Structures are given as C-alpha cells and as structure tokens.
Amino acid sequence: MSSVLKNFDSWKKFLGERVVQAEKAGMSEDTISQLAYEIGDFLDEKVDPQNSSNRALKELWEVGNEEERRTIARLMVKLAKSNA
C-alpha cells in the first residue's frame, strides 16, 4: 500500500478499482462518497503525503470546511473512477 501512496497515478488507479468494486457490490454513489469523505479524514489525520499531488490534496482538505471536504471527496471518487 505504501508504494501506491508514493505515485499519484497509481493512487488514482487503486482508488478507481475500489470504486468500481464498490459499485459492483451494490453501493450507491452517495455511500461511496461518504466513505471517501471518511477515508479523507483518516488520511488527513494519520498519513503523511508521499508526493506533491497528495500533499496538495491534504492542504486543500485542511483549509476546507465540511461541505468543501465533501466536495473534494466526491471529486476524488469521480477522478478515481475515470482512472480505473
């Protein structure tokens, strides 16, 4: 997993594959976005970004309010899915 975090393209592909799996398992877009929001909070608190792209996302997350963070989470789901 740590190697996935070091390369942003690998990270997007990894996330995209998880989004596709979640959809195939019957999860709604809202549920997936909620999970992305919760994962974003976890990563913000526990993981030091391994590349400049992830660092930029962390900084955006930190300055955003809850609504903006939810938007970031939804956008990350869309971005990830397009890279699956």
Side-chain angles (χ1 to χ4, degrees):
M1 178 70 155
S2 68
S3 64
V4 169
L5 294 174
K6 290 181 183 179
N7 181 293
F8 193 64
D9 288 331
S10 296
W11 176 238
K12 290 185 296 186
K13 185 173 182 352
F14 173 81
L15 289 177
E17 290 167 355
R18 303 297 83 76
V19 169
V20 169
Q21 287 175 343
E23 289 176 336
K24 286 181 181 177
M27 290 181 126
S28 71
E29 187 174 317
D30 286 341
T31 300
I32 294 169
S33 291
Q34 176 61 32
L35 288 171
Y37 174 80
E38 291 172 13
I39 291 167
D41 260 352
F42 172 82
L43 291 174
D44 180 49
E45 293 175 17
K46 306 286 185 193
V47 178
D48 183 40
Q50 300 292 308
N51 60 57
S52 58
S53 299
N54 287 351
R55 171 82 47 209
L57 284 171
K58 179 178 176 58
E59 290 179 12
L60 286 170
W61 191 269
E62 289 175 343
V63 299
N65 61 31
E66 182 179 352
E67 181 182 346
E68 292 164 331
R69 289 177 177 185
R70 289 189 183 279
T71 298
I72 292 169
R74 285 191 301 276
L75 289 170
M76 281 303 299
V77 169
K78 286 177 118 175
L79 178 64
K81 188 174 175 183
S82 73
N83 283 274

